[in-house]
Amino acid sequence: MGRTQQSNHEIQNMTSKSLLRCLDLMPNVQEVLLQEHLGEDVDEVVLRKLLLGLPNLKAVDFCALFSQKFVNAFSAVLSGPESSTFTISLRRVSLHECSTLNSSAFERLLPILPRLTHLDLFHTRVNNSALMSIPKSAALTHLNLGRCYQITGTGVVQFLNSHPATTNLVYLNLSCDTSRYRLLWESDVKAILGNIQPSLRSLNLSGAKIVESHIPLLLPLTKHIEELSLGFADLSMENINSLFVPQPLSDHENDILVAEANWKPSTLRYLDLSGIQAVTRSSLFGNSSILLSSVTSPLEVIEMGEKDIMALKARGSTNKKLGWVVKDFGRRGWYVRNSTGDGLTGHRDRRGWKMGAMWWGMRKIPVAYAEVGGLYGHYMFKK
């Protein structure tokens, strides 16, 4: 459900009362998607209906709701006299960019979600204790903790490595804005990488302190992960190359043959290298990089920073010769292997864990089984 603020004034019958009436008429609804322009309409009565009054509801998306009325509604519903006795049967919950909710809201909400599988808390005030309060019965497959400034690296490591709900993750976003803070330092990265399960398909570590010594820990992950974000890592082009080709112990022929015989190809289809100083247009085109060659297949999308994407755009003929093309959308840009069609929206890139999203590199967790578009697509791929 979405509309502009101008429409709010023009369509007077679209209010919290009409939204509540709509929900009353759909007692068996299973997925409800809301977003920022409905913030004034999600009052205490509507929120209570969503959390407690729809027994068949499995998923709710509060994408970017930030109004004071929404914040007050959360506080009222979760601190009411009955709040200590109820649980919520929701499985997929997105509070993506709900940055005005207080930490206490998460401390009250998360412990009463025993069936949780998808949790998007990107850019919220969730804290360490709230994470640890998630019921042990939850079975998280999708978790987004990107830009959560009130959690710590130590807290994240403890949660991921000890909580029973995190043993079968498929999607994990731990990105941070390095201009404001760094969530994961070298020891944190080491502890997390050493405990990643084979179920994982998407890992975002953009902004983490990733260095050369982490390559041996990253390498096994590239045999089952399809999306990997290493933005702002302290890596050389040689380090990145080593994720795609065998590294023999020496130049001796026997060592080379052993390395090649034991090598298992990478499964990576998307690689985010934004902000890595060693990765530029010149280095991609130079002899030091193998990223654009066929040896890195099935890699088909490389994300880079705005400056590098603009530089690549200016080399149209070279791109065509190499078989790659530049794509951009909002603040983001990708270098795409042209042999895959448009490289971003092909049906061959559908995955069950992406729940309708066809592009690679999503930064918002979908909670509904539907094609992604509109404002949800904006938050997922444009920001």
Side-chain angles (χ1 to χ4, degrees):
M1 299 180 183
R3 62 181 190 273
T4 64
Q5 291 290 351
Q6 181 179 354
S7 297
N8 287 351
H9 298 289
E10 295 175 350
I11 308 174
Q12 294 298 315
N13 63 326
M14 295 294 288
T15 64
S16 57
K17 291 183 179 180
S18 60
L19 179 54
L20 179 62
R21 178 58 178 158
C22 178
L23 295 174
D24 285 336
L25 293 171
M26 299 185 295
N28 296 316
V29 66
Q30 296 188 36
E31 300 170 339
V32 174
L33 309 182
L34 308 170
Q35 44 97 334
E36 60 187 77
H37 298 307
L38 285 170
E40 290 297 322
D41 299 328
V42 183
D43 60 12
E44 179 182 347
V45 179
V46 170
L47 188 62
R48 191 177 299 275
K49 181 70 174 182
L50 287 167
L51 297 182
L52 303 173
L54 296 169
N56 295 311
L57 188 64
K58 296 178 180 178
V60 63
D61 195 331
F62 296 108
C63 181
L65 267 64
F66 61 87
S67 72
Q68 190 59 47
K69 181 179 287 188
F70 174 67
V71 174
N72 293 341
F74 242 90
S75 178
V77 173
L78 296 178
S79 61
E82 77 280 22
S83 61
S84 61
T85 61
F86 64 67
T87 59
I88 298 173
S89 60
L90 288 169
R91 298 181 182 181
R92 304 186 295 276
V93 177
S94 173
L95 290 159
H96 189 97
E97 293 269 17
C98 293
S99 57
T100 54
L101 284 176
N102 297 321
S103 297
S104 59
F106 300 98
E107 292 172 353
R108 293 167 180 162
L109 175 65
L110 297 186
I112 55 176
L113 293 169
R115 303 178 69 186
L116 200 59
T117 61
H118 295 57
L119 181 61
D120 191 332
L121 300 178
F122 183 91
H123 196 196
T124 65
R125 300 183 190 181
V126 66
N127 56 30
N128 295 339
S129 61
L131 285 179
M132 292 304 296
S133 73
I134 293 175
K136 294 180 179 180
S137 59
L140 291 172
T141 59
H142 293 62
L143 178 63
N144 190 348
L145 298 177
R147 292 183 60 189
C148 292
Y149 304 124
Q150 296 196 22
I151 58 176
T152 65
T154 301
V156 170
V157 170
Q158 180 186 8
F159 175 64
L160 293 176
N161 289 1
S162 68
H163 200 293
T166 66
T167 56
N168 288 296
L169 287 170
V170 177
Y171 175 98
L172 179 61
N173 185 341
L174 300 175
S175 62
C176 70
D177 181 355
T178 54
S179 67
R180 295 191 58 181
Y181 81 119
R182 191 187 295 274
L183 174 63
L184 302 174
W185 294 88
E186 289 184 39
S187 60
D188 302 320
V189 173
K190 181 179 179 180
I192 289 172
L193 293 180
N195 199 49
I196 293 292
Q197 301 301 310
S199 59
L200 199 68
R201 295 294 178 268
S202 178
L203 177 62
N204 190 335
L205 294 175
S206 183
K209 185 66 174 178
I210 299 173
V211 297
E212 183 177 5
S213 62
H214 292 132
I215 291 295
L217 294 172
L218 283 167
L219 188 57
L221 307 186
T222 65
K223 313 310 179 183
H224 57 85
I225 285 178
E226 294 186 288
E227 292 183 340
L228 180 60
S229 295
L230 301 175
F232 301 92
D234 294 329
L235 297 175
S236 67
M237 186 61 76
E238 183 180 0
N239 297 152
I240 298 169
N241 287 342
S242 67
L243 298 175
F244 297 95
V245 291
Q247 302 296 306
L249 295 176
S250 72
D251 292 333
H252 191 277
E253 181 179 0
N254 187 59
D255 287 337
I256 295 175
L257 290 175
V258 170
E260 291 178 347
N262 294 330
W263 179 253
K264 184 178 179 181
S266 163
T267 57
L268 290 177
R269 294 181 176 273
Y270 162 90
L271 184 62
D272 181 5
L273 302 177
S274 305
I276 298 181
Q277 293 185 3
V279 181
T280 64
R281 182 196 68 182
S282 298
S283 63
L284 273 181
F285 290 169
N287 294 330
S288 64
S289 172
I290 64 167
L291 291 178
L292 306 184
S293 68
S294 60
V295 73
T296 61
S297 182
L299 181 68
E300 57 188 87
V301 180
I302 301 172
E303 181 157 357
M304 301 176 68
E306 182 179 3
K307 181 180 178 180
D308 294 316
I309 287 296
M310 294 302 294
L312 287 169
K313 267 189 172 182
R315 301 294 296 271
S317 59
T318 303
N319 297 336
K320 185 176 181 180
K321 181 180 179 181
L322 293 171
W324 289 73
V325 62
V326 175
K327 300 285 183 179
D328 57 0
F329 186 45
R331 303 175 187 174
R332 300 176 65 184
W334 303 269
Y335 204 35
V336 181
R337 201 184 297 267
N338 204 29
S339 60
T340 63
D342 65 11
L344 291 174
T345 58
H347 289 282
R348 64 193 297 274
D349 296 329
R350 284 187 181 274
R351 296 292 188 277
W353 58 268
K354 294 201 281 185
M355 298 178 65
M358 291 187 290
W359 293 17
W360 294 106
M362 64 182 187
R363 293 179 178 173
K364 178 186 179 303
I365 295 175
V367 298
Y369 290 95
E371 290 197 18
V372 174
L375 198 63
Y376 305 104
H378 170 83
Y379 280 99
M380 196 174 293
F381 296 108
K382 195 172 183 179
K383 289 194 73 176

